[in-house]
Amino acid sequence: KMDDIIRISKDFRRANGLKEMAKERFNSISELKQPYRIVEEYYEIIKELLTAVSYSMGFKILSHKNLIEFISKETKLLDRIEISLIDELRIMRNSIVYYGEKTSREFIESRKEKIHSIINKLLREKLE
């Protein structure tokens, strides 16, 4: 749906603000103990970083699903496997937030390295 992708002026101040917030969240994630909270936080960090990229490109995207799809199609930042993992986190996060489902520590541990790699890649991205 294109009606939730809105062209805006490139907003680097907002993009960099989101990036800084994501960096702070990432630096304090080790304080979280419950797996479901960790999943939520990883997803929020990645979503903020993707949103920062979209703002720096001059787009505001209202739906998380379309944000992921937009970044996948309009940039070369992430490969298909990384996009697939982000979407898996989105679905898991929705199950937690909207249906009260818990997640296992194994879910996080088996994906942690790849999630960290995605976050670090997005943090290194220059927004200009």
Side-chain angles (χ1 to χ4, degrees):
K1 261 175 44 176
M2 293 306 288
D3 56 345
D4 68 356
I5 298 176
I6 303 160
R7 177 148 305 269
I8 59 170
S9 299
K10 292 181 179 184
D11 194 338
F12 300 110
R13 187 187 58 77
R14 204 165 172 187
N16 283 302
L18 282 171
K19 188 175 177 178
E20 279 309 306
M21 218 162 52
K23 198 182 295 181
E24 288 169 17
R25 283 180 186 267
F26 190 43
N27 289 335
S28 64
I29 202 160
S30 61
E31 297 165 19
L32 298 177
K33 300 297 172 235
Q34 304 93 338
Y36 77 93
R37 298 261 330 270
I38 297 167
V39 167
E40 284 181 290
E41 199 65 2
Y42 277 142
Y43 179 72
E44 284 301 315
I45 291 164
I46 291 170
K47 179 187 60 77
E48 284 174 355
L49 291 167
L50 297 180
T51 301
V53 170
S54 77
Y55 281 149
S56 74
M57 294 171 67
F59 291 93
K60 178 179 175 123
I61 303 166
L62 305 177
S63 131
H64 295 187
K65 188 175 173 112
N66 285 348
L67 174 64
I68 295 166
E69 204 171 295
F70 176 86
I71 296 296
S72 170
K73 287 183 177 156
E74 302 298 324
T75 75
K76 299 282 178 257
L77 284 176
L78 301 165
D79 65 32
R80 194 179 47 76
I81 291 160
E82 292 166 325
I83 291 291
S84 177
L85 175 55
I86 294 169
D87 206 46
E88 185 181 24
L89 283 173
R90 178 187 66 79
I91 292 164
M92 178 61 73
R93 178 248 180 214
N94 287 348
S95 296
I96 292 165
V97 171
Y98 299 117
Y99 305 106
E101 290 182 17
K102 298 272 173 124
T103 186
S104 67
R105 183 147 316 275
E106 293 75 39
F107 178 87
I108 303 274
E109 290 306 320
S110 65
R111 293 159 180 82
K112 185 176 182 175
E113 197 175 311
K114 196 68 184 158
I115 291 169
H116 281 234
S117 155
I118 291 168
I119 291 170
N120 285 314
K121 184 188 281 192
L122 291 170
L123 283 170
R124 283 192 305 272
E125 189 62 23
K126 290 277 176 256
L127 301 175
E128 54 210 12

